[in-house]
Amino acid sequence: MSSPLSTPGGRKRGRTTNPSTPSSEGPTSPPFQRRRGQDSSTGDLMPMPTSPPTDVLSPAAPLDNSLFSSPRPSVPPNEVDMSSPLMYGTPSSRVEGTPRSGVRGTPARQRPDLGSVSKAPQVDLQSEPPSADGAVASEANAGQRLVIWGTDVNVGTCKEKFQRFLQRFIDPSSSEDENTGLDLNEPLYMQKLEEISVVGDPVLNVNCLHVQSFDAELYRQLICYPQEVIPTFDMAVNELFFERFPDSILEYQIQVRPYNALKTRNMRNLNPEDIDQLITISGMVIRTSQLIPEMQEAFFQCQVCAFSTRVEVDRGRIAEPAVCRHCNTTHSLALVHNRSLFSDKQMIKIQESPDDMPAGQTPHTTVVYAHNDLVDKVQPGDRINITGVYRAVPMRANPRQSNVKSVYKTHIDVIHFRKTDEKRLHGLDDAEQKLFTEERVQTLKELAAKPDVYERLASALAPSIYEHEDIKKGILLQLFGGTRKDFSQTGRGNFRADVNILLCGDPGTSKSQLLQYVFNLVPRGQYTSGKGSSAVGLTAYVMKDPETRQLVLQTGALVLSDNGICCIDEFDKMSDSTRSVLHEVMEQQTLSIAKAGIICQLNARTSVLAAANPIESQWNPKKTTIENIQLPHTLLSRFDLIFLMLDPQDEAYDRRLAHHLVSLYYQSEEQLEEEFLDMAMLRDYIAYARTYINPKLSEEASQALIEAYVDMRKIGSGRGMVSAYPRQLESLIRLAEAHSKVRFSEKVETIDVEEAKRLHREALKQSATDPRTGFVDISILTTGMSATARKRREEVAQALKKVIQAKGKTPAMKYHTLLEDLRRQSETAITKEMFDEALRALSDEDYLTVTGKTVRLLA
Amino acid sequence: MFAASQNTPNSGWAAKAVAFFKDRLKEKDAHTWVPSLNDVPLHYLKPNSLVKFRCFIQDMFDPEFYMGTYEAVDPSTKAKVLRCGKYKDVTECGVDFNSRSTMTAERHTFYCVPIPGESPWVKEISSSGQARVVPSTSYAPTRQKRSYEEDDDDMDTDTQPQKQRDRFHAKSMHGQPHGNGDCKRREKEAPSSQAASASHLDLNFPLPGEKGPSCLLKVYEEWDGFKLNEAVEVFGILSVSPALSALADEDASSSLLDPAGGMETAEEQRVHSPPASLVPRLHMLHAKPLPHNNPLLPAAGLEDNNSAFLSSTLREMAAVRAELLAYFTHVLLGDALAAEYLILHLVSNVYTRRDVLPLGKFTLNLSGCPAVASFTERFYQIIQQLVPSSYYLGMTLQNMNQMRLVPKKDYVANRLLSGALQLATNTSLFLDESQLEQGQLDTTGVRNVTALGNLISWQKVDYDFSYHQMEFPCNINVLIASEGRSLLPSDCQIHLQSQVAPPDLEAYLGGIQVHPQASQLNKFRMYLSVARQLDYSIADEVTKSVEDDFVDMRKDDPQSISAEDLHRMLVVARLLSLSLGQTSLSRDSWLRAKHVEMLRRSRMEQNKCVNGNEP
């Protein structure tokens, strides 16, 4: 039973509302702060033959009835139930449908996360001069000036307010994924209650922001006195629920789980003032303990007369009864373990997420206790938002020493977990919506309104790298990305919205530096080097957890950079098997894994920014891109933009470059700040645009895109080659969308398309120029061979055919003689490679076969 | 004096006390009369007295909440007394936890170790200028053989003496630091600290084989200003209360019985509350970051009020440089060019970062080191004699495959396991690649080599936090000694050209070891530290001529010079000017830098022809 002795004595409050109140009630408790969560509140799922009368089954009940000295007309029906000797059975054994299955009928489940509140004494405010607290004073019901000791919470008022909130709160603009399927114009939480009655999961998650917008005062109380207010909420919701669904049967009473308390705090900002308040912090789980059974109530049985008694665990101690009350034998009572009550508990350690940390410091960790059904809800590595009550307990005192360490241990009793990366795996939105202050948004918008914002941002990107304006612009568009489109209904799946870029060029043209910069700029960037990464490191691997012997899926760089950018240096040095995994990632944006019994498809919606060196270490301008970097064209065609970073070697350029470099070395930090936007600003700008701007194609823009595409096709068609494929059109669309994001425009307009076209052309001009003809030829990228080269191969094959036919009926020929013959006949020089290619082409036509050094005709 | 100020827990005292100490420490000789934890063995220091510690922040623990003020019941008078918990670890008897006047406050704990790789001469010089703490007369060495366990035992068994001692202790905290109880305590402390110095407790020094006290630094204000891997000089109150260790033991043993209380693992306990006799607590009053740890230089930066010192050293600089150059030439087998580059390397310093690009770093790869007679090791010893902190890393296969170079977070013990690359600013890291032989690098080895490469190229180390990596910028001078071209990247490579005929090499190398005189060594040491600290600028007209030069050079032969070469030349010019004591780039220095670079490049060309396998 709840012992009225213990008080919330050791509670440290920043603010005590009733300074002169009940000293008589307070200090009777032992000198250490009460350990919340260990005081047992009676009642659990377990039916106990000797369990006390019903009204104490629920920790809420004593509050309801015994402690209230004033009549509370708001909840009359309970008075009736009070006397009935109810509910000794399990919930299922209860007679269904009886009028008794209501609030009283359903056993309350204790909330170790809150400690037991039933013990909080209440104070009559009326005996004091009116306090400054408007909420209590303004209460119409003058009889209800009772508040819970140490707080300004009036149970009745609070309950009423919360019920009103549940009944009336409507959030038409709600976009939370949890609310899908609910009618947004109906009271939100009533629908949720209905859901509970159907599903039978007695947990009601309440968004604190909703409470705040509905009743700020209630919200304040919730934040400041969660320990008192949440049980009150529980009471309120249960009354409401069983009033509305009198017949429904729940395993135990509904528990309210608030989340999203005001601001999601950084772990670093927690300070002593937050103790005992409701907080929400974000972090990453690094360790979970095993399940700890925590004794709530000890069961003793007399060895002599079998009389049994129960003792509550008080502050982690059990006071063993010395004398049996029944037979008066001393020291005859023995603890019976399996009849004692235990609750589940788990220690979880969370660590600050790396994004929240100031540079040069190590991340902080916080201990979190999860109770009952929240145990084992999270795994190490999960990124979560935790709502809970922040606690501080003094270090355990040595019983033999009067000195104690003057340090508190802090932890959080968790009330609600919310995984932040869960959505990332399933949903579409960027889960971590960065919150921007009003002023920041204002500055960002001002910046966006400037006509030269595109150029500004591009020059702010990696200012230490000189020129390469177009490349920077390309990377800038990559950072913004296109609009994500979902065609999964029509079976085409998601369209890639991310822009992939390949930089190739001479060594020492600061490609790596550019990659490093991008990696440092974006929040979810990964940097790998082709040399050092294997396919496994890029994708995911399965490993056995050394502790649990469980198979665990460890994700690699590509999965980790989902919604970010994966920078891959030395792309050309990657092994073929590694590169092959990129095929799926770069177009389908998923990653399929089938190993060690784990078959899954992970999202890898990442933009790839790769850098490759030419195969001969120096770029050979006489060769095509493919020949220079020796990458499979299937992979190359998946890059939207391929830039060459070459040393231009002209004097004016040199001069500007020299100036740039020298100024890098002598300009002071401030001078540079003036010139460029700083990294933080750029980062915010990109984050804002990525989150809030989703441009759509306008009519003119789509026309312009069509024209652009048709033009691109036309360029080639004159010379018998195709210079654009649908993939290029998609690239154009993505680039245009990204460009309109740069302008914070919700509509893709013609200027965006123009810029996309220009950039695409620039990139093409650099990478897809056929060195033999000087024309832009997209087929270099798509088939690995320029159209002219293919044409010439055709010609050689035909010439060879003629040579063979001229020989008449010879079924077999020597390889060398044939080559000699062909060389004699042809005007142009025929290399051995060309000859081989021609032979291969003819054998493909089933005209001949080559075996060793002889060529046989088939026809 | 300190205890007196603490006895009156009114709100303003804390700020006043800090201000008081700051004022006192500003005085000229302030740093000489405070005993230093670096030099004085722990058991000679009085508990609860003011000490200083020159240290390196190795790890930052979670913030802790403590009782800022609390009410205690005096056991004799039964009167309630308001006490203050600031700057203390242990509360006094009879704390009333329900008191309304209890105020919780926050403080941060940093784990500090002596500056890693600090050269012996630094320790020597800084300790010679110190106030020696004379061990008090009551110190009785006869009891030295008592083991730590015994100590523990009697704490646990007889509670009565313990209580008494505590009372003594409490008294001594209240204004009689010379009291009787104090001596008694100290005599208990002494043996344990000695016994435990070789104990199992891993003190987590970044470099293997380091010794020295580490301490838990409690920071009460402005903790955000501190950064990991920062070198600071801390003035604070030493706390070695044995109650701390006793509490820790108690907690660890009882954790089995009380799962709720002992949520910390045993390892975590051990790491976060090690015995105070081994890892004393230091409650910080005042700290100043150390821009350098060269005791020969004035402790404060060069800027303020040391203009006299600065100008006098600047005047001498050219002369000292010449001497040093001669000395290095001698050491480097008569190669003056290599000696020149070595000086440049030793005064280099990352002075700023442009987005990701660190500016001012100058990693030198000294190739062509003779493979005989442990030249590299001798060479390192000479460098160690000159720089305040350094570390020699022999790149043997075994080292590469087994050493932990990158710090790693240990989640079980909740601490950052240090690695050899967790070094303070301007530490000289000497990589001896001549030790590397053929063989296979395993995963760790590859990771280590990558980490070294990252360190050299970007001056950053990615600490391993298991679920993610975190990047910590650093500023370490890396010198690679190798036979051929190093496998690691470097800013500048120079091939050693020995002027000594091979038969004489052994004898010559034997002679290298002869050190110059102490006064000359000190001059060198001072010179290197000062040159590194100087400010530097480039005038507009010089900028112009540099640009012109670059364009001209490109005009002649675009292949001859790239942007990267210009980068390097600008750094060389900067270092050259600084090494000459000039704070701005002159036309002459620029030409000289160009000349030096040209010599080096031509030597590289030459060398390329000599052994064709150079890439």
Side-chain angles (χ1 to χ4, degrees):
Chain A
M1 238 334 287
S2 56
S3 69
L5 280 180
S6 62
T7 62
R11 200 188 297 144
K12 286 153 294 301
R13 279 270 141 70
R15 171 175 54 100
T16 35
T17 27
N18 309 306
S20 66
T21 22
S23 53
S24 58
E25 281 171 281
T28 42
S29 72
F32 299 113
Q33 188 183 27
R34 193 178 46 150
R35 243 247 170 61
R36 292 152 196 240
Q38 283 192 347
D39 297 293
S40 126
S41 45
T42 46
D44 201 69
L45 301 185
M46 286 271 290
M48 288 315 228
T50 47
S51 72
T54 13
D55 60 321
V56 295
L57 263 173
S58 133
L63 249 189
D64 254 3
N65 308 304
S66 51
L67 281 174
F68 263 94
S69 50
S70 62
R72 285 169 316 104
S74 56
V75 277
N78 295 346
E79 305 292 336
V80 189
D81 287 344
M82 272 274 292
S83 54
S84 54
L86 268 186
M87 298 317 119
Y88 286 112
T90 53
S92 54
S93 75
R94 233 181 285 128
V95 192
E96 292 184 21
T98 55
R100 276 170 188 164
S101 74
V103 184
R104 312 254 106 232
T106 312
R109 184 160 179 181
Q110 54 172 332
R111 299 198 65 154
D113 47 354
L114 293 173
S116 59
V117 195
S118 47
K119 296 162 190 173
Q122 296 198 8
V123 185
D124 195 347
L125 266 188
Q126 283 207 307
S127 59
E128 294 172 47
S131 73
D133 258 291
V136 183
S138 66
E139 198 44 61
N141 193 342
Q144 288 197 20
R145 304 287 301 268
L146 287 179
V147 296
I148 297 174
W149 189 79
T151 73
D152 59 359
V153 179
N154 179 305
V155 176
T157 329
C158 182
K159 226 159 87 175
E160 235 169 77
K161 276 183 177 174
F162 188 64
Q163 284 181 342
R164 208 160 48 218
F165 164 75
L166 291 177
Q167 283 167 328
R168 303 216 184 123
F169 183 77
I170 300 170
D171 183 13
S173 61
S174 163
S175 58
E176 281 173 78
D177 52 347
E178 288 172 18
N179 299 346
T180 42
L182 300 182
D183 186 351
L184 292 181
N185 295 317
E186 291 292 308
L188 179 69
Y189 289 101
M190 290 316 283
Q191 294 181 65
K192 287 201 174 175
L193 284 182
E194 208 172 314
E195 212 175 276
I196 290 172
S197 79
V198 175
V199 180
D201 181 21
V203 170
L204 180 68
N205 293 329
V206 174
N207 190 337
C208 292
L209 285 183
H210 293 167
V211 181
Q212 189 184 26
S213 62
F214 189 79
D215 186 339
E217 175 64 22
L218 188 65
Y219 172 75
R220 187 191 59 74
Q221 288 184 342
L222 173 63
I223 296 297
C224 295
Y225 313 112
Q227 181 153 335
E228 289 77 19
V229 173
I230 294 176
T232 317
F233 281 10
D234 280 355
M235 259 154 49
V237 80
N238 279 307
E239 276 167 24
L240 196 67
F241 180 79
F242 287 107
E243 207 172 283
R244 185 152 301 211
F245 310 102
D247 294 341
S248 55
I249 287 170
L250 296 176
E251 211 179 322
Y252 48 86
Q253 291 193 359
I254 297 175
Q255 298 192 345
V256 175
R257 301 234 166 103
Y259 66 93
N260 205 359
L262 184 59
K263 51 184 170 182
T264 304
R265 276 171 201 267
N266 187 333
M267 206 178 293
R268 210 160 271 271
N269 298 338
L270 289 177
N271 58 44
E273 279 161 33
D274 297 321
I275 290 175
D276 284 337
Q277 303 215 338
L278 191 71
I279 52 165
T280 300
I281 59 166
S282 61
M284 189 174 64
V285 180
I286 53 169
R287 250 159 65 81
T288 55
S289 76
Q290 290 182 326
L291 190 142
I292 303 161
E294 195 178 40
M295 190 178 279
Q296 295 292 329
E297 196 179 61
F299 184 90
F300 285 97
Q301 194 166 38
C302 176
Q303 305 286 55
V304 180
C305 63
F307 171 81
S308 61
T309 181
R310 291 160 176 284
V311 179
E312 255 185 69
V313 176
D314 186 23
R315 288 178 292 280
R317 263 159 234 264
I318 306 162
E320 189 184 339
V323 185
C324 173
R325 265 195 286 143
H326 191 249
C327 59
N328 280 331
T329 327
T330 50
H331 303 297
S332 66
L333 290 160
L335 184 71
V336 182
H337 273 282
N338 51 9
R339 294 187 70 179
S340 302
L341 286 185
F342 293 91
S343 70
D344 294 347
K345 182 172 173 180
Q346 185 180 34
M347 183 196 75
I348 297 165
K349 272 213 157 150
I350 61 170
Q351 180 182 285
E352 245 175 323
S353 49
D355 321 339
D356 297 345
M357 283 176 31
Q361 308 226 336
T362 55
H364 287 173
T365 56
T366 303
V367 176
V368 170
Y369 289 136
H371 302 272
N372 291 333
D373 59 329
L374 290 177
V375 166
D376 270 344
K377 275 278 155 68
V378 290
Q379 296 283 321
D382 287 347
R383 286 173 191 235
I384 50 173
N385 276 332
I386 287 184
T387 305
V389 185
Y390 195 41
R391 309 280 195 195
V393 273
M395 290 284 235
R396 256 174 54 85
N398 186 337
R400 285 183 291 270
Q401 272 185 306
S402 50
N403 285 0
V404 286
K405 256 171 134 171
S406 58
V407 175
Y408 295 100
K409 278 187 178 176
T410 53
H411 69 263
I412 297 169
D413 276 326
V414 69
I415 292 175
H416 187 274
F417 282 128
R418 189 183 179 83
K419 285 190 198 179
T420 45
D421 49 359
E422 200 165 52
K423 269 209 235 156
R424 220 151 52 84
L425 288 174
H426 305 299
L428 289 166
D429 319 12
D430 294 50
E432 279 144 86
Q433 297 203 339
K434 230 175 142 185
L435 288 175
F436 296 97
T437 57
E438 285 289 319
E439 306 97 78
R440 196 66 172 173
V441 174
Q442 204 50 47
T443 20
L444 292 179
K445 287 202 169 138
E446 268 167 31
L447 184 62
K450 289 189 174 142
D452 60 341
V453 59
Y454 180 52
E455 281 73 21
R456 262 169 193 263
L457 292 176
S459 64
L461 199 73
S464 65
I465 296 161
Y466 181 60
E467 288 226 324
H468 298 300
E469 281 303 314
D470 282 331
I471 296 175
K472 285 189 185 175
K473 281 178 180 170
I475 292 177
L476 187 70
L477 294 188
Q478 179 183 37
L479 290 170
F480 283 90
T483 314
R484 204 156 264 157
K485 308 165 200 70
D486 189 4
F487 289 96
S488 42
Q489 259 85 26
T490 53
R492 258 216 68 179
N494 289 327
F495 266 34
R496 171 157 69 96
D498 305 279
V499 179
N500 297 325
I501 294 182
L502 175 69
L503 308 173
C504 34
D506 296 338
T509 40
S510 49
K511 294 189 295 293
S512 306
Q513 208 180 313
L514 206 51
L515 258 57
Q516 276 280 344
Y517 181 87
V518 170
F519 159 64
N520 279 302
L521 182 71
V522 294
R524 215 195 300 275
Q526 291 291 325
Y527 184 93
T528 62
S529 167
K531 237 195 298 187
S533 54
S534 61
V536 161
L538 276 180
T539 56
Y541 53 98
V542 176
M543 68 168 227
K544 210 166 235 172
D545 190 294
E547 271 176 45
T548 60
R549 316 291 300 155
Q550 261 179 347
L551 287 175
V552 187
L553 195 67
Q554 295 277 343
T555 46
L558 284 170
V559 181
L560 286 177
S561 57
D562 187 27
N563 276 326
I565 291 187
C566 188
C567 302
I568 307 176
D569 208 349
E570 311 205 41
F571 197 64
D572 48 317
K573 304 218 176 36
M574 223 176 234
S575 71
D576 288 343
S577 61
T578 314
R579 235 181 263 143
S580 66
V581 304
L582 286 171
H583 281 119
E584 187 189 350
V585 171
M586 287 177 64
E587 199 58 59
Q588 276 68 47
Q589 307 231 293
T590 55
L591 204 61
S592 307
I593 287 159
K595 53 175 85 154
I598 295 181
I599 299 169
C600 61
Q601 201 173 42
L602 299 170
N603 273 332
R605 290 156 303 182
T606 168
S607 311
V608 174
L609 176 62
N613 285 325
I615 210 86
E616 300 163 30
S617 86
Q618 205 76 31
W619 188 266
N620 186 345
K622 295 190 183 66
K623 288 185 169 177
T624 63
T625 311
I626 300 274
E627 286 161 334
N628 259 314
I629 48 179
Q630 291 288 324
L631 284 174
H633 54 82
T634 43
L635 199 52
L636 277 189
S637 67
R638 285 171 160 81
F639 285 103
D640 299 77
L641 298 171
I642 300 175
F643 287 109
L644 296 186
M645 283 181 99
L646 298 179
D647 214 339
Q649 304 181 352
D650 88 88
E651 193 184 322
Y653 172 84
D654 290 347
R655 182 166 294 280
R656 275 172 300 160
L657 175 66
H659 181 75
H660 179 80
L661 289 183
V662 175
S663 67
L664 199 65
Y665 277 85
Y666 81 87
Q667 269 185 350
S668 64
E669 200 74 44
E670 299 84 58
Q671 275 172 294
L672 276 181
E673 297 264 298
E674 281 167 29
E675 274 177 52
F676 302 110
L677 298 159
D678 60 332
M679 228 160 137
M681 184 68 156
L682 186 60
R683 197 178 285 141
D684 279 3
Y685 193 93
I686 292 170
Y688 185 85
R690 279 184 77 106
T691 324
Y692 296 105
I693 315 284
N694 289 305
K696 296 232 160 40
L697 287 179
S698 68
E699 192 54 41
E700 307 92 75
S702 26
Q703 279 306 321
L705 279 168
I706 293 169
E707 269 168 42
Y709 181 59
V710 171
D711 280 349
M712 279 162 75
R713 302 270 298 187
K714 251 191 236 158
I715 294 173
S717 62
R719 280 173 284 124
M721 45 189 193
V722 181
S723 58
Y725 290 93
R727 241 183 211 162
Q728 272 70 45
L729 178 59
E730 282 177 22
S731 292
L732 275 185
I733 296 173
R734 277 192 286 272
L735 291 172
E737 282 167 351
H739 187 259
S740 63
K741 270 193 193 176
V742 175
R743 298 185 297 120
F744 278 10
S745 155
E746 285 289 353
K747 230 179 194 164
V748 181
E749 284 167 38
T750 335
I751 46 164
D752 303 318
V753 179
E754 288 304 317
E755 175 58 23
K757 244 164 72 184
R758 189 193 67 79
L759 208 57
H760 194 257
R761 204 169 47 234
E762 281 304 312
L764 266 187
K765 215 191 276 170
Q766 292 180 346
S767 59
T769 314
D770 188 342
R772 294 182 190 88
T773 61
F775 287 116
V776 173
D777 185 354
I778 195 71
S779 51
I780 291 178
L781 298 180
T782 50
T783 65
M785 196 188 252
S786 67
T788 36
R790 205 174 322 116
K791 207 164 161 191
R792 204 168 48 220
R793 189 176 74 173
E794 207 74 352
E795 283 165 8
V796 175
Q798 288 311 317
L800 181 64
K801 208 171 174 180
K802 266 187 206 138
V803 169
I804 294 170
Q805 277 165 349
K807 290 201 170 199
K809 275 266 178 244
T810 38
M813 283 158 283
K814 283 262 161 19
Y815 177 89
H816 280 288
T817 43
L818 203 56
L819 177 58
E820 287 302 305
D821 286 349
L822 183 64
R823 280 198 175 147
R824 232 175 292 125
Q825 299 231 338
S826 153
E827 320 90 70
T828 53
I830 306 280
T831 62
K832 198 160 170 294
E833 285 80 46
M834 287 165 75
F835 177 65
D836 283 340
E837 268 180 19
L839 277 180
R840 219 175 299 132
L842 289 181
S843 68
D844 284 349
E845 288 175 23
D846 282 346
Y847 184 70
L848 47 79
T849 56
V850 183
T851 45
K853 290 284 169 207
T854 41
V855 178
R856 282 169 209 284
L857 289 187
L858 288 176
Chain B
M1 143 205 68
F2 156 70
S5 68
Q6 215 191 10
N7 224 355
T8 48
N10 56 13
S11 54
W13 73 268
K16 271 187 223 154
V18 171
F20 170 78
F21 280 109
K22 271 188 189 148
D23 279 354
R24 287 300 299 269
L25 294 170
K26 260 190 203 131
E27 291 166 23
K28 265 268 177 262
D29 57 339
H31 58 277
T32 55
W33 55 257
V34 182
S36 163
L37 209 54
N38 294 81
D39 319 315
V40 185
L42 185 57
H43 52 273
Y44 285 150
L45 291 170
K46 291 191 193 79
N48 307 316
S49 66
L50 184 68
V51 294
K52 65 177 180 184
F53 188 34
R54 192 172 67 247
C55 60
F56 168 83
I57 301 174
Q58 191 269 326
D59 195 2
M60 292 167 154
F61 292 156
D62 294 333
E64 61 185 21
F65 292 171
Y66 68 100
M67 285 172 246
T69 37
Y70 59 92
E71 218 164 31
V73 184
D74 197 292
S76 49
T77 60
K78 299 277 176 244
K80 280 192 174 181
V81 201
L82 212 56
R83 297 236 184 275
C84 168
K86 210 172 176 187
Y87 305 122
K88 277 182 208 167
D89 284 306
V90 180
T91 58
E92 286 141 46
C93 33
V95 179
D96 179 11
F97 283 89
N98 283 336
S99 164
R100 284 169 181 283
S101 46
T102 304
M103 297 252 282
T104 314
E106 186 181 5
R107 69 183 175 205
H108 284 229
T109 308
F110 298 153
Y111 186 80
C112 296
V113 295
I115 295 171
E118 201 172 56
S119 303
W121 63 268
V122 174
K123 293 191 173 117
E124 218 169 274
I125 293 177
S126 50
S127 68
S128 65
Q130 286 309 315
R132 268 263 169 238
V133 175
V134 186
S136 71
T137 44
S138 65
Y139 176 68
T142 42
R143 292 182 64 189
Q144 222 164 27
K145 286 289 161 267
R146 282 193 63 177
S147 76
Y148 185 58
E149 281 74 26
E150 259 181 282
D151 249 348
D152 247 0
D153 273 351
D154 70 30
M155 273 178 207
D156 288 344
T157 46
D158 48 7
T159 50
Q160 206 45 47
Q162 170 72 35
K163 274 223 176 87
Q164 222 159 21
R165 193 158 57 212
D166 285 331
R167 213 163 297 139
F168 268 126
H169 183 185
K171 253 194 212 157
S172 73
M173 278 178 136
H174 286 121
Q176 347 171 323
H178 300 289
N180 193 12
D182 231 4
C183 306
K184 209 169 163 186
R185 270 209 56 262
R186 208 172 328 115
E187 108 198 5
K188 294 227 134 202
E189 279 302 310
S192 63
S193 73
Q194 273 159 10
S197 60
S199 82
H200 57 283
L201 198 79
D202 174 18
L203 289 180
N204 212 1
F205 293 121
L207 302 177
E210 289 256 299
K211 266 196 263 152
S214 55
C215 82
L216 284 170
L217 181 64
K218 308 276 181 185
V219 182
Y220 289 84
E221 55 220 345
E222 285 159 22
W223 45 73
D224 286 338
F226 292 91
K227 291 227 157 77
L228 198 73
N229 304 344
E230 200 175 16
V232 284
E233 182 160 46
V234 182
F235 292 86
I237 296 154
L238 183 72
S239 160
V240 287
S241 164
L244 284 173
S245 343
L247 276 179
D249 290 348
E250 184 69 25
D251 275 4
S253 60
S254 65
S255 63
L256 283 174
L257 301 171
D258 177 20
M263 274 307 166
E264 287 179 320
T265 57
E267 281 102 312
E268 194 170 341
Q269 271 292 346
R270 200 152 55 216
V271 166
H272 286 259
S273 25
S277 51
L278 260 184
V279 182
R281 317 301 195 253
L282 193 57
H283 296 267
M284 188 185 98
L285 284 167
H286 174 57
K288 53 184 180 194
L290 290 175
H292 61 84
N293 60 333
N294 189 341
L296 297 167
L297 256 62
L302 288 174
E303 301 80 34
D304 41 297
N305 67 44
N306 279 310
S307 49
F309 169 81
L310 191 60
S311 58
S312 72
T313 27
L314 279 184
R315 244 177 285 128
E316 282 177 23
M317 258 172 115
V320 181
R321 185 184 198 277
E323 280 176 52
L324 186 61
L325 187 67
Y327 177 54
F328 277 157
T329 313
H330 173 69
V331 170
L332 293 172
L333 314 174
D335 187 340
L337 186 63
E340 180 92 40
Y341 271 95
L342 183 59
I343 292 181
L344 299 187
H345 164 74
L346 288 177
V347 300
S348 71
N349 173 35
V350 177
Y351 63 97
T352 184
R353 280 166 199 272
R354 286 276 174 273
D355 36 79
V356 289
L357 190 74
L359 295 181
K361 71 182 171 101
F362 194 66
T363 305
L364 185 65
N365 175 13
L366 199 66
S367 60
C369 293
V372 288
S374 56
F375 167 76
T376 48
E377 273 149 48
R378 285 169 202 219
F379 181 37
Y380 168 68
Q381 278 159 15
I382 285 159
I383 291 189
Q384 196 183 20
Q385 281 294 315
L386 295 173
V387 296
S389 43
S390 59
Y391 179 58
Y392 171 88
L393 178 64
M395 287 179 67
T396 57
L397 262 188
Q398 198 196 358
N399 267 350
M400 284 288 104
N401 281 339
Q402 286 171 6
M403 253 177 97
R404 190 173 54 230
L405 291 186
V406 175
K408 182 181 187 318
K409 180 84 177 183
D410 174 2
Y411 283 116
V412 178
N414 194 14
R415 68 163 167 184
L416 191 64
L417 285 177
S418 193
L421 292 187
Q422 192 176 13
L423 295 173
T425 297
N426 285 332
T427 307
S428 284
L429 179 64
F430 189 97
L431 297 177
D432 188 354
E433 207 183 277
S434 64
Q435 305 261 339
L436 197 61
E437 61 271 23
Q438 281 193 0
Q440 196 180 358
L441 284 178
D442 58 17
T443 335
T444 332
V446 173
R447 214 169 285 154
N448 278 340
V449 171
T450 318
L452 284 176
N454 269 339
L455 168 71
I456 294 167
S457 316
W458 309 109
Q459 287 286 337
K460 62 164 192 181
V461 181
D462 288 318
Y463 288 16
D464 181 2
F465 278 82
S466 170
Y467 300 98
H468 57 93
Q469 299 202 318
M470 208 141 48
E471 183 182 306
F472 284 88
C474 55
N475 185 358
I476 299 173
N477 294 14
V478 188
L479 178 63
I480 311 164
S482 60
E483 283 166 58
R485 187 172 177 269
S486 168
L487 67 99
L488 294 167
S490 61
D491 294 314
C492 163
Q493 185 211 346
I494 180 151
H495 198 86
L496 204 58
Q497 266 178 355
S498 167
Q499 309 293 321
V500 184
D504 309 335
L505 204 58
E506 290 278 344
Y508 187 88
L509 286 177
I512 282 184
Q513 218 59 20
V514 182
H515 291 307
Q517 287 171 340
S519 64
Q520 199 175 15
L521 266 183
N522 279 353
K523 248 197 281 178
F524 290 163
R525 291 163 181 167
M526 205 135 87
Y527 162 77
L528 289 176
S529 295
V530 169
R532 180 179 278 164
Q533 305 255 325
L534 291 176
D535 282 332
Y536 176 74
S537 62
I538 307 179
D540 277 346
E541 58 273 17
V542 185
T543 322
K544 193 84 189 68
S545 76
V546 169
E547 286 168 31
D548 289 342
D549 267 4
F550 179 69
V551 174
D552 286 347
M553 279 187 278
R554 295 267 300 185
K555 218 187 272 170
D556 300 341
D557 178 10
Q559 293 299 321
S560 71
I561 183 165
S562 67
E564 219 165 307
D565 293 323
L566 182 60
H567 263 292
R568 181 169 44 238
M569 272 164 65
L570 285 166
V571 178
V572 169
R574 172 193 152 88
L575 295 174
L576 204 61
S577 311
L578 290 182
S579 74
L580 287 165
Q582 299 164 351
T583 51
S584 66
L585 182 64
S586 64
R587 179 78 195 148
D588 283 350
S589 310
W590 170 247
L591 289 178
R592 193 166 160 186
K594 241 170 70 177
H595 177 68
V596 172
E597 266 291 282
M598 214 186 62
L599 281 178
R600 187 184 67 87
R601 287 167 66 102
S602 66
R603 183 186 287 192
M604 261 167 66
E605 298 289 321
Q606 213 179 328
N607 202 52
K608 233 177 227 169
C609 306
V610 172
N611 48 344
N613 60 350
E614 295 281 324

